[in-house]
Amino acid sequence: DAKTTQPNSMESNEEEPVHLPCNHSTISGTDYIHWYRQLPSQGPEYVIHGLTSNVNNRMASLAIAEDRKSSTLILHRATLRDAAVYYCILSYGGTASKLTFGTGTRLQVTL
Amino acid sequence: DSGVTQTPKHLITATGQRVTLRCSPRSGDLSVYWYQQSLDQGLQFLIQYYNGEERAKGNILERFSAQQFPDLHSELNLSSLELGDSALYFCASSVGGLAGNTGELFFGEGSRLTVL
């Protein structure tokens, strides 16, 4: 199974952009890249996902390296409500039916 | 609010006992996933059902079982409970059976199980 590597923790100031990196050097051609986040005392929440092209939605942007061995989740203006654990996950090929979470990056946002 | 409902929110029981956790997926979602989150193991995938049929199995113990009913709600049964089973149990749902490439899982708020 392809694995992901994320920093254990990151800090950001409020209203600053945040770039959360994820390495996935063993990604296969059909693996999708997913990002979820888990706020304190809540279940994980979908953030964004993509395959090859960069993706944008109302929550964040996903920048995928050309060789797909790494990706970056971009929060354009961090708020205190963005403090959470962010998980970068690969799906196992085009027929994957489950998502396996790693340890994620704990993002702290300060005033 | 994700639309996924889990009950009970909290449960305290003793070792050796059996409990049932219940999950109602979002309206229209056919897949239900169960995850276990403990302090030392992180978020572990247990099992997935799609439209009543088991679709994928993860690190689910033999003491645990699950099923999805015709109305699509699901139950996770945990028996012969041990101290190490204390954890948060999350249910998630998705429209299709292939969350890996269709993207979004919707998670409930979890059921916190404490085994004393």
Side-chain angles (χ1 to χ4, degrees), chain A residues 56-88:
Chain A
N56 300 297
N57 66 21
R58 63 175 180 80
M59 287 182 69
S61 295
L62 175 60
I64 301 173
E66 198 169 330
D67 63 5
R68 301 210 324 126
K69 293 186 176 182
S70 65
S71 61
T72 302
L73 178 70
I74 303 167
L75 307 179
H76 297 286
R77 286 183 65 195
T79 70
L80 295 178
R81 291 175 55 188
D82 292 321
V85 178
Y86 287 78
Y87 297 96
C88 170

mmCIF file of all heavy atoms in Angstrom, chain A residues 56-88:
data_model
loop_
_atom_site.group_PDB
_atom_site.id
_atom_site.type_symbol
_atom_site.label_atom_id
_atom_site.label_comp_id
_atom_site.label_asym_id
_atom_site.label_seq_id
_atom_site.Cartn_x
_atom_site.Cartn_y
_atom_site.Cartn_z
ATOM 1 N N ASN A 56 -9.306 23.242 -6.570
ATOM 2 C CA ASN A 56 -9.716 24.299 -5.648
ATOM 3 C C ASN A 56 -11.152 24.060 -5.227
ATOM 4 O O ASN A 56 -11.982 23.636 -6.028
ATOM 5 C CB ASN A 56 -9.639 25.677 -6.332
ATOM 6 C CG ASN A 56 -8.246 26.010 -6.795
ATOM 7 O OD1 ASN A 56 -7.327 26.129 -5.994
ATOM 8 N ND2 ASN A 56 -8.070 26.135 -8.090
ATOM 9 N N ASN A 57 -11.442 24.325 -3.970
ATOM 10 C CA ASN A 57 -12.834 24.390 -3.527
ATOM 11 C C ASN A 57 -12.941 25.486 -2.479
ATOM 12 O O ASN A 57 -11.974 26.214 -2.234
ATOM 13 C CB ASN A 57 -13.342 23.030 -3.038
ATOM 14 C CG ASN A 57 -12.637 22.543 -1.780
ATOM 15 O OD1 ASN A 57 -12.054 23.319 -1.027
ATOM 16 N ND2 ASN A 57 -12.703 21.234 -1.560
ATOM 17 N N ARG A 58 -14.116 25.576 -1.864
ATOM 18 C CA ARG A 58 -14.338 26.706 -0.963
ATOM 19 C C ARG A 58 -13.484 26.616 0.286
ATOM 20 O O ARG A 58 -13.248 27.598 0.975
ATOM 21 C CB ARG A 58 -15.809 26.783 -0.581
ATOM 22 C CG ARG A 58 -16.310 25.584 0.184
ATOM 23 C CD ARG A 58 -17.746 25.741 0.657
ATOM 24 N NE ARG A 58 -18.185 24.561 1.392
ATOM 25 C CZ ARG A 58 -17.898 24.322 2.653
ATOM 26 N NH1 ARG A 58 -17.174 25.191 3.350
ATOM 27 N NH2 ARG A 58 -18.332 23.236 3.257
ATOM 28 N N MET A 59 -13.004 25.413 0.607
ATOM 29 C CA MET A 59 -12.236 25.243 1.832
ATOM 30 C C MET A 59 -10.742 25.446 1.621
ATOM 31 O O MET A 59 -10.046 25.990 2.481
ATOM 32 C CB MET A 59 -12.450 23.855 2.417
ATOM 33 C CG MET A 59 -13.791 23.644 3.053
ATOM 34 S SD MET A 59 -13.939 21.999 3.762
ATOM 35 C CE MET A 59 -12.808 22.104 5.139
ATOM 36 N N ALA A 60 -10.246 24.927 0.474
ATOM 37 C CA ALA A 60 -8.790 24.877 0.320
ATOM 38 C C ALA A 60 -8.420 24.656 -1.138
ATOM 39 O O ALA A 60 -9.285 24.504 -2.003
ATOM 40 C CB ALA A 60 -8.231 23.733 1.174
ATOM 41 N N SER A 61 -7.119 24.642 -1.375
ATOM 42 C CA SER A 61 -6.580 24.268 -2.678
ATOM 43 C C SER A 61 -5.635 23.095 -2.492
ATOM 44 O O SER A 61 -4.987 22.969 -1.446
ATOM 45 C CB SER A 61 -5.820 25.435 -3.308
ATOM 46 O OG SER A 61 -6.684 26.507 -3.585
ATOM 47 N N LEU A 62 -5.574 22.255 -3.503
ATOM 48 C CA LEU A 62 -4.662 21.117 -3.489
ATOM 49 C C LEU A 62 -3.720 21.273 -4.670
ATOM 50 O O LEU A 62 -4.167 21.316 -5.820
ATOM 51 C CB LEU A 62 -5.442 19.807 -3.607
ATOM 52 C CG LEU A 62 -4.621 18.523 -3.722
ATOM 53 C CD1 LEU A 62 -3.722 18.340 -2.505
ATOM 54 C CD2 LEU A 62 -5.540 17.309 -3.894
ATOM 55 N N ALA A 63 -2.437 21.367 -4.350
ATOM 56 C CA ALA A 63 -1.415 21.463 -5.384
ATOM 57 C C ALA A 63 -0.687 20.132 -5.451
ATOM 58 O O ALA A 63 -0.142 19.658 -4.447
ATOM 59 C CB ALA A 63 -0.432 22.595 -5.047
ATOM 60 N N ILE A 64 -0.703 19.520 -6.625
ATOM 61 C CA ILE A 64 -0.102 18.202 -6.818
ATOM 62 C C ILE A 64 1.139 18.361 -7.689
ATOM 63 O O ILE A 64 1.069 18.960 -8.765
ATOM 64 C CB ILE A 64 -1.106 17.238 -7.481
ATOM 65 C CG1 ILE A 64 -2.355 17.124 -6.600
ATOM 66 C CG2 ILE A 64 -0.476 15.866 -7.703
ATOM 67 C CD1 ILE A 64 -3.486 16.327 -7.245
ATOM 68 N N ALA A 65 2.255 17.819 -7.221
ATOM 69 C CA ALA A 65 3.496 17.907 -7.982
ATOM 70 C C ALA A 65 3.354 17.190 -9.315
ATOM 71 O O ALA A 65 2.548 16.262 -9.449
ATOM 72 C CB ALA A 65 4.641 17.300 -7.186
ATOM 73 N N GLU A 66 4.146 17.618 -10.262
ATOM 74 C CA GLU A 66 4.030 17.047 -11.605
ATOM 75 C C GLU A 66 4.293 15.541 -11.606
ATOM 76 O O GLU A 66 3.639 14.782 -12.329
ATOM 77 C CB GLU A 66 5.027 17.746 -12.542
ATOM 78 C CG GLU A 66 4.708 17.559 -14.004
ATOM 79 C CD GLU A 66 5.543 18.473 -14.886
ATOM 80 O OE1 GLU A 66 5.907 19.576 -14.445
ATOM 81 O OE2 GLU A 66 5.832 18.069 -16.021
ATOM 82 N N ASP A 67 5.236 15.081 -10.783
ATOM 83 C CA ASP A 67 5.518 13.650 -10.710
ATOM 84 C C ASP A 67 4.596 12.931 -9.723
ATOM 85 O O ASP A 67 4.717 11.729 -9.532
ATOM 86 C CB ASP A 67 6.988 13.392 -10.347
ATOM 87 C CG ASP A 67 7.356 13.930 -8.970
ATOM 88 O OD1 ASP A 67 6.458 14.422 -8.248
ATOM 89 O OD2 ASP A 67 8.522 13.884 -8.602
ATOM 90 N N ARG A 68 3.706 13.673 -9.098
ATOM 91 C CA ARG A 68 2.709 13.174 -8.145
ATOM 92 C C ARG A 68 3.308 12.550 -6.903
ATOM 93 O O ARG A 68 2.607 11.909 -6.132
ATOM 94 C CB ARG A 68 1.763 12.165 -8.821
ATOM 95 C CG ARG A 68 1.024 12.724 -9.990
ATOM 96 C CD ARG A 68 -0.344 12.140 -10.258
ATOM 97 N NE ARG A 68 -0.446 10.719 -9.981
ATOM 98 C CZ ARG A 68 -1.363 10.190 -9.180
ATOM 99 N NH1 ARG A 68 -2.244 10.957 -8.574
ATOM 100 N NH2 ARG A 68 -1.411 8.894 -8.980
ATOM 101 N N LYS A 69 4.580 12.762 -6.655
ATOM 102 C CA LYS A 69 5.178 12.171 -5.470
ATOM 103 C C LYS A 69 4.998 13.038 -4.236
ATOM 104 O O LYS A 69 5.410 12.651 -3.127
ATOM 105 C CB LYS A 69 6.659 11.891 -5.724
ATOM 106 C CG LYS A 69 6.874 10.817 -6.770
ATOM 107 C CD LYS A 69 8.325 10.437 -6.935
ATOM 108 C CE LYS A 69 8.464 9.283 -7.930
ATOM 109 N NZ LYS A 69 9.864 8.849 -8.085
ATOM 110 N N SER A 70 4.415 14.166 -4.393
ATOM 111 C CA SER A 70 4.107 15.006 -3.245
ATOM 112 C C SER A 70 2.917 15.895 -3.580
ATOM 113 O O SER A 70 2.578 16.083 -4.760
ATOM 114 C CB SER A 70 5.301 15.879 -2.855
ATOM 115 O OG SER A 70 5.587 16.798 -3.884
ATOM 116 N N SER A 71 2.300 16.405 -2.532
ATOM 117 C CA SER A 71 1.199 17.340 -2.719
ATOM 118 C C SER A 71 1.193 18.314 -1.542
ATOM 119 O O SER A 71 1.831 18.059 -0.509
ATOM 120 C CB SER A 71 -0.144 16.616 -2.832
ATOM 121 O OG SER A 71 -0.424 15.881 -1.655
ATOM 122 N N THR A 72 0.473 19.402 -1.720
ATOM 123 C CA THR A 72 0.394 20.427 -0.683
ATOM 124 C C THR A 72 -1.039 20.900 -0.553
ATOM 125 O O THR A 72 -1.669 21.255 -1.561
ATOM 126 C CB THR A 72 1.294 21.633 -1.022
ATOM 127 O OG1 THR A 72 2.637 21.186 -1.180
ATOM 128 C CG2 THR A 72 1.240 22.676 0.093
ATOM 129 N N LEU A 73 -1.525 20.871 0.658
ATOM 130 C CA LEU A 73 -2.837 21.452 0.936
ATOM 131 C C LEU A 73 -2.623 22.900 1.329
ATOM 132 O O LEU A 73 -1.801 23.197 2.206
ATOM 133 C CB LEU A 73 -3.523 20.704 2.079
ATOM 134 C CG LEU A 73 -4.884 21.244 2.485
ATOM 135 C CD1 LEU A 73 -5.910 20.960 1.381
ATOM 136 C CD2 LEU A 73 -5.342 20.642 3.802
ATOM 137 N N ILE A 74 -3.352 23.785 0.693
ATOM 138 C CA ILE A 74 -3.186 25.208 0.938
ATOM 139 C C ILE A 74 -4.463 25.776 1.534
ATOM 140 O O ILE A 74 -5.537 25.694 0.916
ATOM 141 C CB ILE A 74 -2.839 25.953 -0.366
ATOM 142 C CG1 ILE A 74 -1.565 25.354 -0.981
ATOM 143 C CG2 ILE A 74 -2.654 27.454 -0.092
ATOM 144 C CD1 ILE A 74 -1.319 25.786 -2.401
ATOM 145 N N LEU A 75 -4.328 26.295 2.744
ATOM 146 C CA LEU A 75 -5.416 27.064 3.340
ATOM 147 C C LEU A 75 -5.058 28.524 3.108
ATOM 148 O O LEU A 75 -4.019 28.990 3.580
ATOM 149 C CB LEU A 75 -5.524 26.773 4.840
ATOM 150 C CG LEU A 75 -5.641 25.296 5.239
ATOM 151 C CD1 LEU A 75 -5.723 25.164 6.756
ATOM 152 C CD2 LEU A 75 -6.845 24.659 4.576
ATOM 153 N N HIS A 76 -5.881 29.249 2.423
ATOM 154 C CA HIS A 76 -5.497 30.571 1.953
ATOM 155 C C HIS A 76 -5.408 31.605 3.066
ATOM 156 O O HIS A 76 -4.539 32.471 3.047
ATOM 157 C CB HIS A 76 -6.435 31.019 0.847
ATOM 158 C CG HIS A 76 -6.358 30.122 -0.353
ATOM 159 N ND1 HIS A 76 -5.274 30.152 -1.218
ATOM 160 C CD2 HIS A 76 -7.174 29.153 -0.815
ATOM 161 C CE1 HIS A 76 -5.450 29.247 -2.164
ATOM 162 N NE2 HIS A 76 -6.590 28.619 -1.939
ATOM 163 N N ARG A 77 -6.288 31.494 4.039
ATOM 164 C CA ARG A 77 -6.250 32.396 5.191
ATOM 165 C C ARG A 77 -6.672 31.606 6.409
ATOM 166 O O ARG A 77 -7.850 31.358 6.607
ATOM 167 C CB ARG A 77 -7.179 33.584 4.997
ATOM 168 C CG ARG A 77 -6.696 34.617 4.010
ATOM 169 C CD ARG A 77 -7.656 35.790 3.959
ATOM 170 N NE ARG A 77 -7.695 36.520 5.210
ATOM 171 C CZ ARG A 77 -8.639 37.400 5.524
ATOM 172 N NH1 ARG A 77 -9.625 37.647 4.700
ATOM 173 N NH2 ARG A 77 -8.601 38.040 6.677
ATOM 174 N N ALA A 78 -5.710 31.175 7.190
ATOM 175 C CA ALA A 78 -6.016 30.341 8.341
ATOM 176 C C ALA A 78 -6.804 31.118 9.390
ATOM 177 O O ALA A 78 -6.534 32.295 9.644
ATOM 178 C CB ALA A 78 -4.725 29.811 8.960
ATOM 179 N N THR A 79 -7.760 30.455 9.981
ATOM 180 C CA THR A 79 -8.487 31.018 11.110
ATOM 181 C C THR A 79 -8.334 30.069 12.293
ATOM 182 O O THR A 79 -7.876 28.931 12.145
ATOM 183 C CB THR A 79 -9.981 31.189 10.788
ATOM 184 O OG1 THR A 79 -10.577 29.883 10.703
ATOM 185 C CG2 THR A 79 -10.190 31.932 9.478
ATOM 186 N N LEU A 80 -8.754 30.530 13.446
ATOM 187 C CA LEU A 80 -8.653 29.686 14.640
ATOM 188 C C LEU A 80 -9.456 28.404 14.455
ATOM 189 O O LEU A 80 -9.120 27.355 15.002
ATOM 190 C CB LEU A 80 -9.131 30.457 15.872
ATOM 191 C CG LEU A 80 -8.294 31.675 16.263
ATOM 192 C CD1 LEU A 80 -8.907 32.371 17.464
ATOM 193 C CD2 LEU A 80 -6.853 31.277 16.558
ATOM 194 N N ARG A 81 -10.515 28.485 13.652
ATOM 195 C CA ARG A 81 -11.359 27.309 13.427
ATOM 196 C C ARG A 81 -10.682 26.261 12.547
ATOM 197 O O ARG A 81 -11.192 25.152 12.410
ATOM 198 C CB ARG A 81 -12.669 27.741 12.793
ATOM 199 C CG ARG A 81 -13.563 28.540 13.736
ATOM 200 C CD ARG A 81 -14.792 29.039 13.013
ATOM 201 N NE ARG A 81 -15.535 27.958 12.370
ATOM 202 C CZ ARG A 81 -16.554 28.137 11.562
ATOM 203 N NH1 ARG A 81 -16.956 29.357 11.281
ATOM 204 N NH2 ARG A 81 -17.183 27.116 11.024
ATOM 205 N N ASP A 82 -9.562 26.627 11.946
ATOM 206 C CA ASP A 82 -8.831 25.665 11.112
ATOM 207 C C ASP A 82 -7.861 24.813 11.922
ATOM 208 O O ASP A 82 -7.206 23.920 11.366
ATOM 209 C CB ASP A 82 -8.061 26.394 10.007
ATOM 210 C CG ASP A 82 -8.986 27.021 8.975
ATOM 211 O OD1 ASP A 82 -10.005 26.376 8.626
ATOM 212 O OD2 ASP A 82 -8.681 28.145 8.526
ATOM 213 N N ALA A 83 -7.737 25.089 13.205
ATOM 214 C CA ALA A 83 -6.869 24.274 14.050
ATOM 215 C C ALA A 83 -7.436 22.856 14.132
ATOM 216 O O ALA A 83 -8.563 22.657 14.599
ATOM 217 C CB ALA A 83 -6.770 24.882 15.440
ATOM 218 N N ALA A 84 -6.666 21.897 13.639
ATOM 219 C CA ALA A 84 -7.162 20.524 13.523
ATOM 220 C C ALA A 84 -5.995 19.621 13.151
ATOM 221 O O ALA A 84 -4.883 20.076 12.903
ATOM 222 C CB ALA A 84 -8.243 20.438 12.442
ATOM 223 N N VAL A 85 -6.282 18.329 13.093
ATOM 224 C CA VAL A 85 -5.318 17.379 12.531
ATOM 225 C C VAL A 85 -5.697 17.164 11.068
ATOM 226 O O VAL A 85 -6.860 16.861 10.767
ATOM 227 C CB VAL A 85 -5.332 16.032 13.286
ATOM 228 C CG1 VAL A 85 -4.359 15.055 12.630
ATOM 229 C CG2 VAL A 85 -4.973 16.246 14.748
ATOM 230 N N TYR A 86 -4.749 17.359 10.184
ATOM 231 C CA TYR A 86 -4.981 17.233 8.748
ATOM 232 C C TYR A 86 -4.349 15.935 8.251
ATOM 233 O O TYR A 86 -3.166 15.684 8.466
ATOM 234 C CB TYR A 86 -4.391 18.430 8.003
ATOM 235 C CG TYR A 86 -5.208 19.671 8.209
ATOM 236 C CD1 TYR A 86 -5.109 20.406 9.383
ATOM 237 C CD2 TYR A 86 -6.113 20.100 7.244
ATOM 238 C CE1 TYR A 86 -5.885 21.535 9.598
ATOM 239 C CE2 TYR A 86 -6.887 21.229 7.439
ATOM 240 C CZ TYR A 86 -6.771 21.946 8.622
ATOM 241 O OH TYR A 86 -7.552 23.055 8.818
ATOM 242 N N TYR A 87 -5.151 15.123 7.582
ATOM 243 C CA TYR A 87 -4.707 13.830 7.090
ATOM 244 C C TYR A 87 -4.604 13.851 5.571
ATOM 245 O O TYR A 87 -5.532 14.251 4.878
ATOM 246 C CB TYR A 87 -5.708 12.737 7.471
ATOM 247 C CG TYR A 87 -5.894 12.509 8.949
ATOM 248 C CD1 TYR A 87 -6.947 13.114 9.633
ATOM 249 C CD2 TYR A 87 -5.032 11.679 9.665
ATOM 250 C CE1 TYR A 87 -7.147 12.897 10.981
ATOM 251 C CE2 TYR A 87 -5.223 11.456 11.020
ATOM 252 C CZ TYR A 87 -6.277 12.068 11.667
ATOM 253 O OH TYR A 87 -6.459 11.848 13.011
ATOM 254 N N CYS A 88 -3.480 13.386 5.089
ATOM 255 C CA CYS A 88 -3.265 13.186 3.663
ATOM 256 C C CYS A 88 -3.368 11.689 3.419
ATOM 257 O O CYS A 88 -2.670 10.902 4.076
ATOM 258 C CB CYS A 88 -1.887 13.716 3.275
ATOM 259 S SG CYS A 88 -1.328 13.293 1.611
#
